[in-house]
């Protein structure tokens, strides 16, 4: 490609908002020359590469806006440490068919067993697949909604939790709620029903949610919508944090 044509292509790509194409056009033409590509093959190469760059840019932007505490994947989860957990059930969730169907997923179990890790990994996978995601603890969500309600901005703040394709609600049950707070949770759950997915983690069984939400009727109404289309996975194993602490103590004793 002549320098004049190369410059013109770069300028046109820049005006079209294709900065990667502007930077990589020489590499594309080199690959086309080496592969003796026809016009359509060359066009397919350029468009495919540009789409991949845009998808990666969208993915990274989605993660930045998600409020996820980390970006761990299922490959980093130690299934061997939780022998009672069937990896196939988790990997079935990772196909994101429940997200496509606007259904929910609930991860139940005691603290430290990796519920949040799995929830985050599913959210990362959903973001990679093109879904918008948002992470919050139940306590933070309730606190933010209460503050917005007091300021007369509840409808606007509800949008934070209603817009994402996937809402991750962590630590359900760690703090009991008052009835007014539980009603705010009901509003989010009700408005998302069959419109977007919720992934939640909880250290309480569903039978204990009446205590968590301070009202059996409200808890039942929340569960009715949540569980209508929901995959439930219980993890009843040992704590990863306790495991890591015990290993650290053993190393300290060995050194001593």
């Amino acid at each position: 490609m002549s320098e004049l044509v190369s410059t013109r292509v770069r300028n046109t790509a820049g005006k079209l908002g294709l900065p990667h194409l502007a930077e990589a056009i020489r590499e594309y033409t080199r690959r086309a020359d080496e592969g003796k590509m026809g016009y359509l093959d060359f066009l397919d190469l350029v468009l495919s590469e540009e789409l991949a760059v845009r998808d990666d840019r969208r993915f990274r932007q989605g993660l930045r806006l998600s409020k996820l505490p980390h970006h761990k994947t299922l490959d980093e989860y130690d299934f061997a440490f939780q022998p009672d957990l069937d990896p196939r059930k988790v990997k079935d969730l990772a196909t994101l068919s429940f997200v496509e169907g606007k259904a929910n997923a609930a991860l139940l179990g005691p603290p430290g067993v990796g519920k949040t890790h799995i929830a985050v990994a599913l959210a990362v996978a959903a973001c990679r697949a093109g879904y918008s995601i948002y992470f919050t603890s139940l306590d933070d969500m309730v606190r933010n909604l209460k503050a917005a309600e007091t300021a007369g901005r509840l409808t606007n703040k509800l949008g934070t939790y209603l817009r994402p394709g996937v809402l991750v609600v962590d630590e359900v049950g760690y703090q009991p709620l008052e009835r007014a707070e539980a009603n705010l949770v009901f509003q989010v759950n009700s408005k998302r029903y069959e419109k977007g997915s919720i992934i939640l983690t909880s250290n309480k069984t569903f039978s204990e949610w009446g205590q968590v939400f301070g009202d059996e009727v409200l808890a039942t109404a929340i569960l009715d919508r949540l569980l209508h289309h929901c995959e439930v996975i219980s993890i009843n194993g040992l704590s990863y944090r306790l495991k890591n602490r015990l290993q650290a103590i053993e190393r300290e004793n060995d050194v001593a």
Side-chain angles (χ1 to χ4, degrees), residues 107-200:
L107 304 163
L108 310 180
V113 295
K115 303 185 299 297
T116 301
H117 183 147
I118 293 175
V120 167
L122 293 174
V124 170
C127 185
R128 173 69 76 181
Y131 295 96
S132 56
I133 60 174
Y134 192 81
F135 178 97
T136 179
S137 68
L138 182 68
D139 184 56
D140 283 346
M141 183 175 77
V142 168
R143 183 171 60 253
N144 290 333
L145 290 173
K146 282 178 65 179
E149 186 174 38
T150 300
R153 297 183 291 103
L154 179 59
T155 299
N156 182 59
K157 191 60 183 178
L158 278 170
T160 300
Y161 307 106
L162 300 180
R163 282 190 296 270
V166 178
L167 175 66
V168 182
V169 182
D170 198 31
E171 298 182 341
V172 176
Y174 283 80
Q175 295 290 338
L177 302 181
E178 298 175 356
R179 193 181 191 285
E181 295 172 330
N183 183 60
L184 292 171
V185 178
F186 171 77
Q187 289 188 56
V188 173
N189 186 52
S190 179
K191 292 178 186 297
R192 287 192 64 88
Y193 177 61
E194 294 187 334
K195 294 180 181 178
S197 295
I198 295 175
I199 301 173
L200 69 85

Side-chain angles (χ1 to χ4, degrees), residues 21 29-30 85 87 97 171-173 176 181 208 219:
L21 174 58
T29 54
R30 183 192 65 77
L85 174 61
S97 58
E171 298 182 341
V172 176
E181 295 172 330
E208 298 175 289

Side-chain angles (χ1 to χ4, degrees), residues 26 36 62 78 102 154 176 199 203 207 224 239:
R26 287 186 178 276
K36 294 183 172 51
D78 186 3
K102 296 180 173 57
L154 179 59
I199 301 173
N203 67 331
S207 63
D224 179 62
S239 167

Side-chain angles (χ1 to χ4, degrees), residues 47-61:
L47 294 179
S48 296
E49 291 286 344
E50 189 63 33
L51 180 60
V53 169
R54 287 193 171 195
D55 282 346
D56 187 64
R57 189 184 304 129
R58 176 204 51 75
F59 171 63
R60 294 181 184 281
Q61 177 70 1

Side-chain angles (χ1 to χ4, degrees), residues 24-36 42:
I25 188 62
R26 287 186 178 276
E27 172 63 16
Y28 293 157
T29 54
R30 183 192 65 77
R31 289 165 60 182
D33 287 341
E34 290 182 355
K36 294 183 172 51
F42 177 68

Side-chain angles (χ1 to χ4, degrees), residues 50-92:
E50 189 63 33
L51 180 60
V53 169
R54 287 193 171 195
D55 282 346
D56 187 64
R57 189 184 304 129
R58 176 204 51 75
F59 171 63
R60 294 181 184 281
Q61 177 70 1
L63 289 183
R64 281 195 294 271
L65 297 174
S66 68
K67 304 297 185 182
L68 288 173
H70 51 74
H71 300 156
K72 292 181 180 179
T73 66
L74 287 182
D75 291 337
E76 300 171 80
Y77 187 84
D78 186 3
F79 286 98
F81 190 69
Q82 304 293 359
D84 292 336
L85 174 61
D86 188 347
R88 293 173 297 182
K89 292 183 178 180
V90 178
K91 291 174 182 178
D92 281 346

